Short mmCIF file of all heavy atoms in Angstrom, two decimals:
data_model
loop_
_atom_site.label_atom_id
_atom_site.label_comp_id
_atom_site.label_asym_id
_atom_site.label_seq_id
_atom_site.Cartn_x
_atom_site.Cartn_y
_atom_site.Cartn_z
N MET A 1 26.67 -13.30 -4.74
CA MET A 1 27.63 -14.17 -5.43
C MET A 1 27.39 -15.63 -5.06
O MET A 1 27.69 -16.51 -5.83
CB MET A 1 29.05 -13.80 -5.00
CG MET A 1 29.44 -12.41 -5.48
SD MET A 1 31.11 -11.99 -5.01
CE MET A 1 31.14 -10.26 -5.51
N THR A 2 26.84 -15.84 -3.91
CA THR A 2 26.62 -17.21 -3.49
C THR A 2 25.19 -17.67 -3.79
O THR A 2 24.93 -18.83 -3.97
CB THR A 2 26.88 -17.37 -1.98
OG1 THR A 2 26.19 -16.33 -1.29
CG2 THR A 2 28.36 -17.29 -1.70
N THR A 3 24.29 -16.70 -3.87
CA THR A 3 22.91 -17.06 -4.14
C THR A 3 22.36 -16.19 -5.28
O THR A 3 21.67 -15.22 -5.03
CB THR A 3 22.04 -16.88 -2.88
OG1 THR A 3 22.27 -15.57 -2.38
CG2 THR A 3 22.39 -17.90 -1.83
N PRO A 4 22.72 -16.52 -6.49
CA PRO A 4 22.31 -15.70 -7.64
C PRO A 4 20.81 -15.78 -7.91
O PRO A 4 20.23 -14.88 -8.45
CB PRO A 4 23.09 -16.33 -8.82
CG PRO A 4 23.39 -17.72 -8.36
CD PRO A 4 23.49 -17.67 -6.86
N GLU A 5 20.19 -16.87 -7.49
CA GLU A 5 18.76 -17.03 -7.76
C GLU A 5 17.90 -16.40 -6.68
O GLU A 5 16.72 -16.22 -6.85
CB GLU A 5 18.43 -18.52 -7.86
CG GLU A 5 18.88 -19.09 -9.20
CD GLU A 5 18.37 -20.50 -9.37
OE1 GLU A 5 17.15 -20.69 -9.29
OE2 GLU A 5 19.17 -21.42 -9.54
N THR A 6 18.51 -16.08 -5.57
CA THR A 6 17.74 -15.47 -4.49
C THR A 6 18.33 -14.11 -4.14
O THR A 6 18.55 -13.79 -3.00
CB THR A 6 17.74 -16.38 -3.25
OG1 THR A 6 19.09 -16.74 -2.98
CG2 THR A 6 16.90 -17.61 -3.47
N SER A 7 18.58 -13.33 -5.15
CA SER A 7 19.16 -12.02 -4.92
C SER A 7 18.06 -10.98 -4.71
O SER A 7 18.33 -9.81 -4.56
CB SER A 7 20.03 -11.61 -6.11
OG SER A 7 19.26 -11.62 -7.29
N ALA A 8 16.83 -11.45 -4.71
CA ALA A 8 15.72 -10.53 -4.53
C ALA A 8 15.67 -10.01 -3.10
O ALA A 8 16.10 -10.68 -2.17
CB ALA A 8 14.42 -11.22 -4.88
N LYS A 9 15.13 -8.82 -2.96
CA LYS A 9 15.01 -8.25 -1.63
C LYS A 9 13.91 -8.96 -0.86
O LYS A 9 13.00 -9.53 -1.44
CB LYS A 9 14.67 -6.76 -1.73
CG LYS A 9 15.79 -5.96 -2.37
CD LYS A 9 15.41 -4.49 -2.45
CE LYS A 9 16.55 -3.69 -3.08
NZ LYS A 9 16.19 -2.26 -3.21
N PRO A 10 14.01 -8.90 0.45
CA PRO A 10 12.98 -9.55 1.29
C PRO A 10 11.62 -8.89 1.11
O PRO A 10 11.52 -7.72 0.78
CB PRO A 10 13.51 -9.36 2.72
CG PRO A 10 14.47 -8.22 2.64
CD PRO A 10 15.05 -8.26 1.25
N CYS A 11 10.60 -9.68 1.36
CA CYS A 11 9.24 -9.19 1.23
C CYS A 11 9.01 -7.99 2.16
O CYS A 11 9.28 -8.08 3.35
CB CYS A 11 8.27 -10.32 1.57
SG CYS A 11 6.55 -9.81 1.60
N PRO A 12 8.57 -6.88 1.62
CA PRO A 12 8.33 -5.68 2.43
C PRO A 12 7.18 -5.85 3.41
O PRO A 12 6.96 -5.03 4.28
CB PRO A 12 8.02 -4.59 1.40
CG PRO A 12 7.53 -5.33 0.20
CD PRO A 12 8.21 -6.67 0.22
N GLN A 13 6.46 -6.93 3.23
CA GLN A 13 5.28 -7.15 4.08
C GLN A 13 5.60 -8.01 5.30
O GLN A 13 5.16 -7.72 6.39
CB GLN A 13 4.18 -7.80 3.26
CG GLN A 13 2.83 -7.72 3.93
CD GLN A 13 2.38 -6.28 4.14
OE1 GLN A 13 2.05 -5.87 5.23
NE2 GLN A 13 2.42 -5.50 3.07
N CYS A 14 6.39 -9.05 5.09
CA CYS A 14 6.66 -9.96 6.21
C CYS A 14 8.16 -10.21 6.38
O CYS A 14 8.58 -10.76 7.39
CB CYS A 14 5.92 -11.26 6.01
SG CYS A 14 6.53 -12.22 4.62
N GLY A 15 8.96 -9.84 5.38
CA GLY A 15 10.40 -10.00 5.53
C GLY A 15 10.93 -11.29 4.95
O GLY A 15 12.14 -11.51 4.93
N LYS A 16 10.04 -12.14 4.48
CA LYS A 16 10.49 -13.39 3.90
C LYS A 16 11.10 -13.14 2.53
O LYS A 16 10.81 -12.12 1.89
CB LYS A 16 9.31 -14.36 3.76
CG LYS A 16 8.82 -14.88 5.10
CD LYS A 16 7.67 -15.83 4.88
CE LYS A 16 7.16 -16.38 6.22
NZ LYS A 16 6.02 -17.29 6.03
N PRO A 17 11.93 -14.07 2.07
CA PRO A 17 12.53 -13.93 0.74
C PRO A 17 11.47 -13.80 -0.34
O PRO A 17 10.52 -14.57 -0.38
CB PRO A 17 13.33 -15.24 0.56
CG PRO A 17 13.58 -15.72 1.96
CD PRO A 17 12.41 -15.25 2.78
N ALA A 18 11.61 -12.77 -1.16
CA ALA A 18 10.61 -12.54 -2.19
C ALA A 18 10.67 -13.59 -3.28
O ALA A 18 11.72 -14.15 -3.58
CB ALA A 18 10.83 -11.15 -2.79
N VAL A 19 9.52 -13.88 -3.84
CA VAL A 19 9.43 -14.83 -4.94
C VAL A 19 9.28 -14.06 -6.25
O VAL A 19 8.56 -13.07 -6.32
CB VAL A 19 8.20 -15.75 -4.74
CG1 VAL A 19 8.08 -16.73 -5.90
CG2 VAL A 19 8.34 -16.50 -3.43
N THR A 20 9.98 -14.54 -7.25
CA THR A 20 9.98 -13.84 -8.53
C THR A 20 8.56 -13.61 -9.05
O THR A 20 8.25 -12.57 -9.60
CB THR A 20 10.77 -14.64 -9.58
OG1 THR A 20 12.04 -14.95 -9.05
CG2 THR A 20 10.94 -13.83 -10.86
N GLU A 21 7.72 -14.59 -8.83
CA GLU A 21 6.37 -14.50 -9.35
C GLU A 21 5.57 -13.38 -8.69
O GLU A 21 4.68 -12.79 -9.29
CB GLU A 21 5.66 -15.84 -9.14
CG GLU A 21 4.30 -15.89 -9.82
CD GLU A 21 3.64 -17.23 -9.60
OE1 GLU A 21 4.29 -18.13 -9.07
OE2 GLU A 21 2.47 -17.36 -9.97
N PHE A 22 5.93 -13.10 -7.44
CA PHE A 22 5.15 -12.10 -6.71
C PHE A 22 6.02 -10.92 -6.28
O PHE A 22 5.67 -10.21 -5.35
CB PHE A 22 4.51 -12.73 -5.47
CG PHE A 22 3.65 -13.91 -5.79
CD1 PHE A 22 4.05 -15.19 -5.45
CD2 PHE A 22 2.44 -13.73 -6.44
CE1 PHE A 22 3.26 -16.27 -5.75
CE2 PHE A 22 1.64 -14.81 -6.74
CZ PHE A 22 2.06 -16.09 -6.41
N ARG A 23 7.16 -10.77 -6.92
CA ARG A 23 8.04 -9.68 -6.55
C ARG A 23 7.30 -8.36 -6.46
O ARG A 23 6.43 -8.07 -7.30
CB ARG A 23 9.17 -9.56 -7.59
CG ARG A 23 10.33 -10.46 -7.25
CD ARG A 23 11.57 -10.06 -7.99
NE ARG A 23 11.35 -9.81 -9.41
CZ ARG A 23 12.28 -9.42 -10.26
NH1 ARG A 23 13.51 -9.29 -9.85
NH2 ARG A 23 11.99 -9.19 -11.51
N PRO A 24 7.69 -7.50 -5.49
CA PRO A 24 8.77 -7.78 -4.53
C PRO A 24 8.29 -8.55 -3.31
O PRO A 24 8.96 -8.54 -2.30
CB PRO A 24 9.22 -6.38 -4.15
CG PRO A 24 7.97 -5.57 -4.20
CD PRO A 24 7.12 -6.19 -5.30
N PHE A 25 7.14 -9.16 -3.42
CA PHE A 25 6.58 -9.87 -2.26
C PHE A 25 6.93 -11.35 -2.32
O PHE A 25 7.46 -11.83 -3.30
CB PHE A 25 5.07 -9.68 -2.21
CG PHE A 25 4.69 -8.23 -2.24
CD1 PHE A 25 4.31 -7.64 -3.43
CD2 PHE A 25 4.74 -7.45 -1.11
CE1 PHE A 25 3.99 -6.29 -3.48
CE2 PHE A 25 4.42 -6.11 -1.15
CZ PHE A 25 4.03 -5.53 -2.34
N CYS A 26 6.57 -12.05 -1.24
CA CYS A 26 6.91 -13.46 -1.15
C CYS A 26 5.73 -14.32 -1.58
O CYS A 26 5.87 -15.49 -1.87
CB CYS A 26 7.33 -13.82 0.28
SG CYS A 26 5.96 -13.82 1.44
N SER A 27 4.55 -13.70 -1.60
CA SER A 27 3.37 -14.47 -1.96
C SER A 27 2.27 -13.53 -2.42
O SER A 27 2.34 -12.31 -2.21
CB SER A 27 2.90 -15.30 -0.77
OG SER A 27 2.50 -14.43 0.27
N ALA A 28 1.26 -14.14 -3.03
CA ALA A 28 0.14 -13.32 -3.50
C ALA A 28 -0.57 -12.67 -2.32
O ALA A 28 -1.15 -11.60 -2.44
CB ALA A 28 -0.82 -14.19 -4.29
N ARG A 29 -0.51 -13.35 -1.19
CA ARG A 29 -1.19 -12.83 -0.01
C ARG A 29 -0.56 -11.50 0.44
O ARG A 29 -1.26 -10.52 0.67
CB ARG A 29 -1.10 -13.86 1.11
CG ARG A 29 -1.93 -13.47 2.32
CD ARG A 29 -1.82 -14.54 3.37
NE ARG A 29 -2.59 -14.21 4.56
CZ ARG A 29 -2.66 -14.98 5.63
NH1 ARG A 29 -2.01 -16.13 5.64
NH2 ARG A 29 -3.37 -14.64 6.66
N CYS A 30 0.76 -11.51 0.55
CA CYS A 30 1.45 -10.29 0.97
C CYS A 30 1.24 -9.19 -0.06
O CYS A 30 1.09 -8.02 0.28
CB CYS A 30 2.94 -10.56 1.16
SG CYS A 30 3.29 -11.42 2.71
N LYS A 31 1.24 -9.56 -1.30
CA LYS A 31 1.04 -8.58 -2.36
C LYS A 31 -0.34 -7.93 -2.23
O LYS A 31 -0.50 -6.72 -2.32
CB LYS A 31 1.15 -9.27 -3.72
CG LYS A 31 1.08 -8.29 -4.88
CD LYS A 31 1.26 -9.04 -6.18
CE LYS A 31 1.22 -8.09 -7.37
NZ LYS A 31 1.42 -8.80 -8.64
N LYS A 32 -1.30 -8.77 -1.95
CA LYS A 32 -2.66 -8.28 -1.81
C LYS A 32 -2.80 -7.36 -0.60
O LYS A 32 -3.44 -6.33 -0.66
CB LYS A 32 -3.62 -9.48 -1.68
CG LYS A 32 -5.07 -9.10 -1.88
CD LYS A 32 -5.93 -10.35 -1.85
CE LYS A 32 -7.39 -10.00 -2.10
NZ LYS A 32 -8.25 -11.20 -2.08
N VAL A 33 -2.15 -7.78 0.48
CA VAL A 33 -2.21 -6.99 1.71
C VAL A 33 -1.59 -5.62 1.49
O VAL A 33 -2.13 -4.60 1.89
CB VAL A 33 -1.49 -7.72 2.85
CG1 VAL A 33 -1.36 -6.81 4.07
CG2 VAL A 33 -2.24 -8.99 3.22
N ASP A 34 -0.43 -5.63 0.83
CA ASP A 34 0.27 -4.37 0.61
C ASP A 34 -0.54 -3.46 -0.31
O ASP A 34 -0.68 -2.28 -0.07
CB ASP A 34 1.64 -4.66 0.00
CG ASP A 34 2.53 -3.43 0.09
OD1 ASP A 34 3.06 -3.19 1.18
OD2 ASP A 34 2.66 -2.71 -0.92
N LEU A 35 -1.09 -4.03 -1.34
CA LEU A 35 -1.89 -3.24 -2.27
C LEU A 35 -3.11 -2.67 -1.56
O LEU A 35 -3.48 -1.53 -1.76
CB LEU A 35 -2.32 -4.10 -3.45
CG LEU A 35 -1.19 -4.44 -4.43
CD1 LEU A 35 -1.70 -5.39 -5.50
CD2 LEU A 35 -0.65 -3.17 -5.08
N GLY A 36 -3.71 -3.49 -0.70
CA GLY A 36 -4.87 -3.03 0.04
C GLY A 36 -4.52 -1.90 0.97
O GLY A 36 -5.27 -0.95 1.14
N LYS A 37 -3.33 -1.99 1.56
CA LYS A 37 -2.89 -0.95 2.46
C LYS A 37 -2.71 0.36 1.72
O LYS A 37 -3.17 1.41 2.13
CB LYS A 37 -1.57 -1.37 3.12
CG LYS A 37 -1.15 -0.43 4.23
CD LYS A 37 0.07 -0.95 4.93
CE LYS A 37 1.28 -0.93 4.00
NZ LYS A 37 2.51 -1.34 4.70
N TRP A 38 -2.07 0.26 0.58
CA TRP A 38 -1.86 1.45 -0.23
C TRP A 38 -3.20 2.03 -0.69
O TRP A 38 -3.40 3.24 -0.72
CB TRP A 38 -1.00 1.12 -1.45
CG TRP A 38 0.46 1.19 -1.15
CD1 TRP A 38 1.31 0.16 -0.89
CD2 TRP A 38 1.26 2.38 -1.04
NE1 TRP A 38 2.56 0.63 -0.64
CE2 TRP A 38 2.57 1.97 -0.73
CE3 TRP A 38 0.96 3.74 -1.19
CZ2 TRP A 38 3.60 2.90 -0.56
CZ3 TRP A 38 2.00 4.66 -1.02
CH2 TRP A 38 3.29 4.23 -0.72
N PHE A 39 -4.10 1.14 -1.03
CA PHE A 39 -5.39 1.58 -1.50
C PHE A 39 -6.11 2.36 -0.41
O PHE A 39 -6.69 3.41 -0.65
CB PHE A 39 -6.23 0.38 -1.93
CG PHE A 39 -7.57 0.77 -2.47
CD1 PHE A 39 -7.67 1.30 -3.75
CD2 PHE A 39 -8.71 0.60 -1.71
CE1 PHE A 39 -8.91 1.67 -4.25
CE2 PHE A 39 -9.95 0.97 -2.21
CZ PHE A 39 -10.05 1.51 -3.48
N ASN A 40 -6.04 1.84 0.81
CA ASN A 40 -6.71 2.50 1.92
C ASN A 40 -6.07 3.85 2.22
O ASN A 40 -6.75 4.81 2.52
CB ASN A 40 -6.63 1.61 3.18
CG ASN A 40 -7.61 0.45 3.07
OD1 ASN A 40 -8.67 0.57 2.46
ND2 ASN A 40 -7.26 -0.67 3.67
N GLU A 41 -4.76 3.88 2.15
CA GLU A 41 -4.07 5.13 2.45
C GLU A 41 -4.38 6.20 1.41
O GLU A 41 -4.59 7.36 1.73
CB GLU A 41 -2.56 4.88 2.50
CG GLU A 41 -2.15 4.15 3.76
CD GLU A 41 -0.65 3.97 3.82
OE1 GLU A 41 0.05 4.45 2.91
OE2 GLU A 41 -0.18 3.34 4.77
N SER A 42 -4.41 5.76 0.16
CA SER A 42 -4.66 6.73 -0.90
C SER A 42 -6.14 7.08 -0.98
O SER A 42 -6.54 8.04 -1.60
CB SER A 42 -4.19 6.17 -2.24
OG SER A 42 -4.90 4.99 -2.54
N TYR A 43 -6.93 6.24 -0.36
CA TYR A 43 -8.38 6.46 -0.40
C TYR A 43 -8.75 7.64 0.49
O TYR A 43 -9.66 8.39 0.19
CB TYR A 43 -9.10 5.20 0.07
CG TYR A 43 -10.51 5.11 -0.44
CD1 TYR A 43 -10.78 4.62 -1.72
CD2 TYR A 43 -11.57 5.52 0.35
CE1 TYR A 43 -12.06 4.53 -2.19
CE2 TYR A 43 -12.87 5.44 -0.13
CZ TYR A 43 -13.11 4.95 -1.40
OH TYR A 43 -14.38 4.87 -1.87
N VAL A 44 -8.01 7.80 1.58
CA VAL A 44 -8.29 8.90 2.50
C VAL A 44 -7.47 10.11 2.08
O VAL A 44 -6.35 10.31 2.52
CB VAL A 44 -7.93 8.49 3.95
CG1 VAL A 44 -8.34 9.61 4.91
CG2 VAL A 44 -8.63 7.20 4.31
N ILE A 45 -8.06 10.87 1.21
CA ILE A 45 -7.35 12.03 0.70
C ILE A 45 -7.66 13.27 1.57
O ILE A 45 -8.80 13.75 1.60
CB ILE A 45 -7.75 12.32 -0.76
CG1 ILE A 45 -7.49 11.07 -1.62
CG2 ILE A 45 -6.98 13.52 -1.28
CD1 ILE A 45 -7.99 11.23 -3.03
N PRO A 46 -6.64 13.75 2.28
CA PRO A 46 -6.85 14.93 3.12
C PRO A 46 -7.09 16.18 2.27
O PRO A 46 -6.48 16.39 1.24
CB PRO A 46 -5.53 15.06 3.89
CG PRO A 46 -4.52 14.34 3.05
CD PRO A 46 -5.28 13.25 2.31
N GLY A 47 -7.99 17.00 2.72
CA GLY A 47 -8.26 18.22 1.97
C GLY A 47 -9.71 18.27 1.52
O GLY A 47 -10.22 19.32 1.17
N ASP A 48 -10.36 17.12 1.60
CA ASP A 48 -11.75 17.09 1.16
C ASP A 48 -12.66 17.75 2.19
O ASP A 48 -13.77 18.16 1.90
CB ASP A 48 -12.18 15.63 0.95
CG ASP A 48 -13.28 15.54 -0.08
OD1 ASP A 48 -13.08 16.07 -1.19
OD2 ASP A 48 -14.34 14.97 0.23
N GLU A 49 -12.15 17.86 3.41
CA GLU A 49 -12.95 18.49 4.45
C GLU A 49 -12.65 19.98 4.55
O GLU A 49 -13.07 20.67 5.45
CB GLU A 49 -12.63 17.82 5.79
CG GLU A 49 -12.98 16.33 5.80
CD GLU A 49 -12.63 15.73 7.15
OE1 GLU A 49 -12.98 16.33 8.16
OE2 GLU A 49 -11.99 14.67 7.17
N ASN A 50 -11.91 20.44 3.60
CA ASN A 50 -11.52 21.84 3.61
C ASN A 50 -12.54 22.69 2.85
O ASN A 50 -12.28 23.83 2.52
CB ASN A 50 -10.13 21.99 2.98
CG ASN A 50 -9.33 23.08 3.69
OD1 ASN A 50 -9.85 23.75 4.58
ND2 ASN A 50 -8.09 23.26 3.29
N VAL A 51 -13.68 22.09 2.62
CA VAL A 51 -14.70 22.82 1.86
C VAL A 51 -15.49 23.73 2.79
O VAL A 51 -16.11 23.26 3.75
CB VAL A 51 -15.66 21.83 1.17
CG1 VAL A 51 -16.69 22.60 0.36
CG2 VAL A 51 -14.86 20.87 0.29
N PRO A 52 -15.49 24.99 2.55
CA PRO A 52 -16.26 25.93 3.40
C PRO A 52 -17.76 25.72 3.25
O PRO A 52 -18.31 25.91 2.19
CB PRO A 52 -15.85 27.30 2.86
CG PRO A 52 -15.34 27.06 1.48
CD PRO A 52 -14.78 25.66 1.49
N ALA A 53 -18.38 25.32 4.35
CA ALA A 53 -19.81 25.05 4.31
C ALA A 53 -20.55 25.99 5.23
O ALA A 53 -21.58 25.67 5.79
CB ALA A 53 -20.07 23.59 4.67
N ASN A 54 -20.00 27.15 5.41
CA ASN A 54 -20.65 28.15 6.29
C ASN A 54 -21.42 29.16 5.45
O ASN A 54 -21.13 30.33 5.40
CB ASN A 54 -19.58 28.86 7.12
CG ASN A 54 -19.10 27.97 8.26
OD1 ASN A 54 -19.50 26.82 8.35
ND2 ASN A 54 -18.26 28.53 9.12
N ASP A 55 -22.43 28.65 4.82
CA ASP A 55 -23.20 29.52 3.95
C ASP A 55 -24.42 30.07 4.68
O ASP A 55 -24.82 31.22 4.52
CB ASP A 55 -23.67 28.72 2.71
CG ASP A 55 -23.53 29.57 1.47
OD1 ASP A 55 -23.69 30.81 1.60
OD2 ASP A 55 -23.26 29.03 0.39
N GLU A 56 -24.99 29.22 5.54
CA GLU A 56 -26.18 29.65 6.25
C GLU A 56 -25.87 30.16 7.65
O GLU A 56 -26.75 30.49 8.40
CB GLU A 56 -27.16 28.47 6.35
CG GLU A 56 -27.57 27.96 4.97
CD GLU A 56 -28.53 26.80 5.12
OE1 GLU A 56 -29.60 27.00 5.71
OE2 GLU A 56 -28.20 25.69 4.68
N ASN A 57 -24.59 30.19 7.98
CA ASN A 57 -24.20 30.61 9.32
C ASN A 57 -23.90 32.11 9.31
O ASN A 57 -22.84 32.58 9.64
CB ASN A 57 -22.97 29.81 9.75
CG ASN A 57 -22.88 29.81 11.28
OD1 ASN A 57 -23.71 30.39 11.95
ND2 ASN A 57 -21.85 29.16 11.79
N ASP A 58 -24.87 32.86 8.93
CA ASP A 58 -24.67 34.30 8.85
C ASP A 58 -25.21 34.99 10.09
O ASP A 58 -26.20 35.68 10.08
CB ASP A 58 -25.38 34.83 7.59
CG ASP A 58 -24.91 36.23 7.26
OD1 ASP A 58 -23.72 36.39 6.94
OD2 ASP A 58 -25.72 37.15 7.36
N ASP A 59 -24.53 34.72 11.20
CA ASP A 59 -25.03 35.24 12.46
C ASP A 59 -24.44 36.62 12.76
O ASP A 59 -23.40 36.75 13.22
CB ASP A 59 -24.69 34.27 13.60
CG ASP A 59 -25.62 34.53 14.77
OD1 ASP A 59 -26.71 33.96 14.80
OD2 ASP A 59 -25.24 35.35 15.62
ZN1 ZN B 101 5.59 -11.76 2.54
#
């Protein structure tokens, strides 16, 4: 009610007030960092090592 223009949530990356242009982040930098983090997390997909490779291990 007192700050209608800054009703945005704080930047999830650093906690600073988010900027409309980079919502929900405060800057392009934080946005990039967050996206990169998500990219890295989603890049490591668990389950790829679950491939049975014991074909020649017929001891
Ligand atoms: Zn930030």
Side-chain angles (χ1 to χ4, degrees):
M1 293 181 188
T2 48
T3 52
E5 284 188 57
T6 50
S7 58
K9 295 180 179 178
C11 175
Q13 195 62 233
C14 68
K16 289 181 180 179
V19 179
T20 308
E21 187 179 352
F22 304 109
R23 273 197 314 179
F25 306 98
C26 71
S27 63
R29 187 179 180 180
C30 283
K31 185 177 181 179
K32 194 175 182 180
V33 171
D34 195 79
L35 288 175
K37 188 175 67 176
W38 274 101
F39 182 76
N40 285 328
E41 286 182 2
S42 61
Y43 203 83
V44 185
I45 304 174
D48 207 54
E49 298 179 47
N50 216 355
V51 182
N54 283 5
D55 221 329
E56 300 180 60
N57 203 0
D58 194 65
D59 201 87

